[in-house]
Amino acid sequence: MSWGTELWDQFDNLDKHTQWGIDFLERYAKFVKERLDIEQNYAKQLRNLVKKYCPKRSKDEEPRFTSCLSFYSVLNELNDYAGQREVVAEEMAHKVYGELMRYSQDLKAERKHHLQEGRKAQQYLDHCWKQMDNSKKKFERECREAEKSQITYDRLDNDINATKSEVEKAKAQFYLRTHMADESKNEYAAQLQNFNAEQWKHFNSAIPHIFKNLQDMDERRTVKLGETYRSFAEAERRVIPIITKCLDGMVSAAKAVDNKRDSSIVIESFKSGFEPPGDFPFEDFSQNLSRTGSDGTISNTPKGDRDRDGAPGPRQDPKHPMSRTKNKLWLFGKKPKAPSLEDFSHLPPEQRRKRLQQRIDELSKELQKEMDQRDALNKMKDVYEKNPQMGDPSSLQPKISETICNMEKLRSEIHKNETWLAEVEGKQSSRGDRRHSADNHHHTPQGRESPEGSYTDDTSQEHHTPHKRSSPPQPGQPNPDPHEFDDEFDDDDPLPVIGHCKALYSFDGQNEGTLVMAEDEVLYIIEEDKGDGWTRARKQSGEEGYVPTSYVEITMEKNSKGAVTYI
């Protein structure tokens, strides 16, 4: 059905309808704009929510419980979900709102053109009608004038008193008016025929064509609205698979929560490694009572102890179970003061050992990176020296120096942490009587400095901490006691070789008891690292001494006789 044939006389109404159509399209575009704004704000609020509840601490400090990890997985999935809401908003902005606004501008221009054409056709028809109406009115006036002149001529022609000249004049006027009336009639007939032809063309050709164009425009507007309705829905439908994956990820995170594993993590995190306290021993306070005759004296103190102490009163054995019990029961009494966090001494022994080992591994990786960078820079420097056109070798020297400085700092840090690790491992091993013979012959004198440089007068600690050797000083550290290594070289018989090692770095061995070695030098190992970061080695020339364990690559001999192994 065509507007041109059915609505040929409804130009003004069609004008109003097409304007309403464009207004409706722009109203829908405004709706889409507000809808995508909601999506953008929703996505922004979701991202802020995720950011608010994401852990502020580093991954190493975060608890590794499955419930926590699953929650962080849920947050990650929610962040991805927020990203999909942004995709929806972007799709609506470009494929719906933007398209509608561009199409609206095109519709306005097209509608204006069609309406202008319709108004021009109507104006031309009105012009034709005015010409026809003017010729009609002129024909009417000429006919009235002709009738008046005929009446005047007839009156004078019948009047006997009228002169002949008057009659002739009236007759001439009558003929003139009649002739003018005939010409007006012919002009009116021509104008009428022209107007009828233009009117037929207007209502049967021009206006139907213009209305047909308006109809096509309006139908295209309707189709466009339908297409954008679909695009509006498709923008949401396209992200449904990814949103479903996000939700599936949340469900998977929920299934990954493991109460048994979390319990084991709690145990692993907080277990101290201490054994439960043993039975309290009987303490006999009657030892100081006088007895008649030494044979009848009741005493739990061995005679050798009394003779050694030089006093009748009992002296508590530093290795007595009671001493260990006092050290182990701090959980139920007064806790020791919290030490520095740098060496993790605030943690239980087993946890401290793990954290120190982890830090040593990380520092070793960083050291290896710096070494690789140093080697690469040296190679580049060699290339520049051989081919000066490629670059200036001196320009690389500052970076090489910086890398070497970083390596020294990392080695110092590694050595410091290895010393702490050796302390932990030494204390743990001492409970298993790792070095009975060493403890019997090399008791640490009371008041001697510990490896950390702290003064201690705790006799129980003296006996429970195995003997340590201070490491050679790093740059900026004080020299240790020059007699620190003396007691290690009192053996008359040379120790057997239990392996060999290759020096990874050069070592100056400036301190007494240490051994100078060059990079890539091969040495014999005669005593393993006892947990303090030092290995006893022998040169091919027979010279013996200690070298840093971290400075050598060790290969132990299998089934070596006389090997001294410390568990």
Side-chain angles (χ1 to χ4, degrees):
M1 184 176 294
S2 174
W3 289 7
T5 57
E6 302 292 334
L7 303 175
W8 59 270
D9 57 346
Q10 300 296 317
F11 185 87
D12 292 339
N13 287 331
L14 291 181
D15 184 354
K16 294 178 182 179
H17 171 74
T18 52
Q19 182 60 49
W20 170 86
I22 294 176
D23 292 341
F24 181 81
L25 184 141
E26 291 184 341
R27 184 185 179 193
Y28 173 62
K30 184 180 179 182
F31 160 78
V32 175
K33 179 66 168 61
E34 293 183 6
R35 173 73 172 83
L36 67 89
D37 288 342
I38 291 174
E39 285 291 346
Q40 289 175 337
N41 292 331
Y42 178 46
K44 182 178 180 181
Q45 290 176 355
L46 285 178
R47 289 195 183 277
N48 290 337
L49 181 66
V50 170
K51 184 178 180 181
K52 178 181 178 181
Y53 283 91
C54 271
K56 302 290 188 299
R57 297 176 290 180
S58 65
K59 293 182 179 179
D60 295 337
E61 298 177 352
E62 276 298 306
R64 310 306 294 172
F65 299 113
T66 58
S67 56
C68 295
L69 297 177
S70 295
F71 176 60
Y72 299 150
S73 297
V74 169
L75 290 178
N76 289 332
E77 297 294 347
L78 186 60
N79 194 56
D80 293 341
Y81 176 86
Q84 296 308 306
R85 304 320 308 178
E86 291 173 341
V87 171
V88 171
E90 186 176 356
E91 289 278 324
M92 289 182 177
H94 291 86
K95 296 188 177 181
V96 184
Y97 177 74
E99 185 68 21
L100 284 173
M101 295 308 296
R102 288 190 296 271
Y103 191 72
S104 173
Q105 297 301 318
D106 294 341
L107 277 183
K108 289 179 179 179
E110 184 179 357
R111 173 180 175 275
K112 181 179 180 181
H113 172 73
H114 294 322
L115 293 179
Q116 285 178 346
E117 291 295 320
R119 291 190 179 94
K120 287 180 181 179
Q122 186 65 44
Q123 290 173 357
Y124 180 70
L125 183 63
D126 290 343
H127 173 71
C128 293
W129 181 83
K130 287 181 180 180
Q131 287 182 330
M132 182 272 297
D133 187 60
N134 289 335
S135 63
K136 176 184 176 181
K137 290 178 179 178
K138 182 179 179 181
F139 171 57
E140 184 180 4
R141 289 195 304 271
E142 293 297 332
C143 287
R144 286 197 299 269
E145 292 296 329
E147 289 176 358
K148 289 180 182 179
S149 62
Q150 184 179 6
I151 293 172
T152 302
Y153 169 69
D154 291 340
R155 180 176 58 79
L156 291 174
D157 188 41
N158 294 324
D159 187 0
I160 58 175
N161 296 322
T163 63
K164 184 178 180 179
S165 61
E166 290 177 343
V167 173
E168 289 296 330
K169 185 176 180 181
K171 182 179 180 180
Q173 187 68 24
F174 167 66
Y175 287 152
L176 178 61
R177 290 295 179 183
T178 302
H179 177 71
M180 292 178 65
D182 290 339
E183 287 184 351
S184 298
K185 180 180 179 181
N186 293 334
E187 183 180 355
Y188 166 61
Q191 290 294 336
L192 179 62
Q193 185 179 5
N194 180 66
F195 171 75
N196 288 333
E198 292 297 333
Q199 181 175 255
W200 186 93
K201 187 189 299 183
H202 176 81
F203 288 109
N204 291 277
S205 178
I207 289 298
H209 177 71
I210 294 171
F211 283 9
K212 176 68 167 53
N213 291 335
L214 288 172
Q215 181 180 2
D216 291 342
M217 181 195 73
D218 194 67
E219 289 177 354
R220 279 187 277 110
R221 175 192 62 83
T222 305
V223 171
K224 192 66 175 181
L225 279 171
E227 291 175 352
T228 53
Y229 293 162
R230 178 185 295 273
S231 299
F232 181 84
E234 288 296 330
E236 185 87 23
R237 187 192 299 276
R238 270 191 288 272
V239 301
I240 287 178
I242 302 179
I243 288 178
T244 302
K245 289 183 180 180
C246 293
L247 298 177
D248 291 342
M250 295 182 187
V251 173
S252 299
K255 293 179 180 179
V257 176
D258 188 344
N259 58 324
K260 300 296 184 183
R261 183 174 179 181
D262 285 2
S263 295
S264 65
I265 292 176
V266 173
I267 295 172
E268 185 68 20
S269 298
F270 299 117
K271 69 179 181 180
S272 64
F274 294 120
E275 296 177 0
D279 296 337
F280 282 85
F282 175 77
E283 299 184 48
D284 189 358
F285 297 101
S286 64
Q287 295 177 8
N288 295 331
L289 297 178
S290 299
R291 302 292 181 180
T292 56
S294 59
D295 293 341
T297 300
I298 301 175
S299 175
N300 289 337
T301 305
K303 181 179 180 181
D305 287 349
R306 292 197 304 272
D307 294 341
R308 183 176 68 249
D309 296 341
R315 181 189 178 194
Q316 190 175 9
D317 186 357
K319 293 188 178 181
H320 197 282
M322 185 60 187
S323 300
R324 295 195 300 270
T325 302
K326 289 181 179 179
N327 287 337
K328 294 177 183 177
L329 286 179
W330 64 266
L331 282 173
F332 306 99
K334 184 178 179 181
K335 291 187 178 181
K337 295 181 180 179
S340 171
L341 298 180
E342 184 183 5
D343 60 354
F344 301 112
S345 55
H346 62 289
L347 296 175
E350 179 62 21
Q351 296 302 313
R352 183 186 180 194
R353 185 189 67 78
K354 290 181 178 179
R355 294 299 291 272
L356 286 171
Q357 186 61 55
Q358 181 182 358
R359 181 187 285 172
I360 290 172
D361 294 341
E362 292 174 353
L363 291 172
S364 298
K365 291 180 180 178
E366 293 181 16
L367 177 60
Q368 186 60 45
K369 290 181 181 178
E370 293 292 337
M371 292 171 60
D372 294 341
Q373 184 174 359
R374 177 202 61 183
D375 295 341
L377 290 171
N378 285 330
K379 290 180 180 179
M380 189 179 296
K381 183 179 179 182
D382 293 340
V383 172
Y384 285 177
E385 290 175 348
K386 295 177 182 179
N387 302 281
Q389 69 275 11
M390 297 182 65
D392 183 10
S394 60
S395 64
L396 299 175
Q397 191 58 43
K399 188 63 177 177
I400 295 175
S401 301
E402 180 184 353
T403 304
I404 294 175
C405 182
N406 292 339
M407 289 169 56
E408 291 301 324
K409 290 180 182 178
L410 288 171
R411 286 170 181 165
S412 176
E413 285 295 319
I414 291 173
H415 179 262
K416 181 170 61 175
N417 283 272
E418 285 177 341
T419 303
W420 290 331
L421 180 62
E423 175 194 354
V424 177
E425 292 177 342
K427 286 184 178 180
Q428 289 179 328
S429 301
S430 66
R431 295 187 180 90
D433 294 328
R434 185 185 72 174
R435 299 178 62 193
H436 288 296
S437 61
D439 290 338
N440 290 337
H441 297 288
H442 303 291
H443 285 300
T444 305
Q446 185 172 356
R448 181 176 176 175
E449 284 189 353
S450 63
E452 296 81 9
S454 60
Y455 183 86
T456 175
D457 57 358
D458 187 354
T459 57
S460 63
Q461 183 177 352
E462 291 171 11
H463 290 277
H464 281 81
T465 303
H467 182 70
K468 298 280 190 305
R469 296 180 303 275
S470 296
S471 61
Q474 298 296 326
Q477 294 182 347
N479 292 332
D481 187 349
H483 303 289
E484 191 71 289
F485 294 93
D486 290 350
D487 56 341
E488 298 294 340
F489 295 94
D490 294 334
D491 299 333
D492 295 331
D493 298 328
L495 293 175
V497 175
I498 61 175
H500 65 277
C501 64
K502 181 181 179 181
L504 299 175
Y505 321 103
S506 60
F507 180 64
D508 53 15
Q510 295 178 355
N511 297 286
E512 186 174 353
T514 59
L515 194 62
V516 178
M517 65 178 180
E519 187 174 355
D520 296 329
E521 183 178 359
V522 178
L523 308 173
Y524 298 112
I525 297 176
I526 57 177
E527 185 177 342
E528 285 187 281
D529 187 345
K530 299 175 182 178
D532 54 3
W534 294 89
T535 299
R536 191 170 179 180
R538 178 187 300 149
K539 287 193 172 188
Q540 296 181 3
S541 61
E543 184 182 0
E544 295 182 0
Y546 286 92
V547 296
T549 306
S550 60
Y551 279 39
V552 294
E553 181 180 3
I554 298 175
T555 303
M556 302 302 296
E557 302 291 342
K558 295 183 178 179
N559 301 324
S560 58
K561 295 182 179 181
V564 180
T565 304
Y566 296 91
I567 301 172

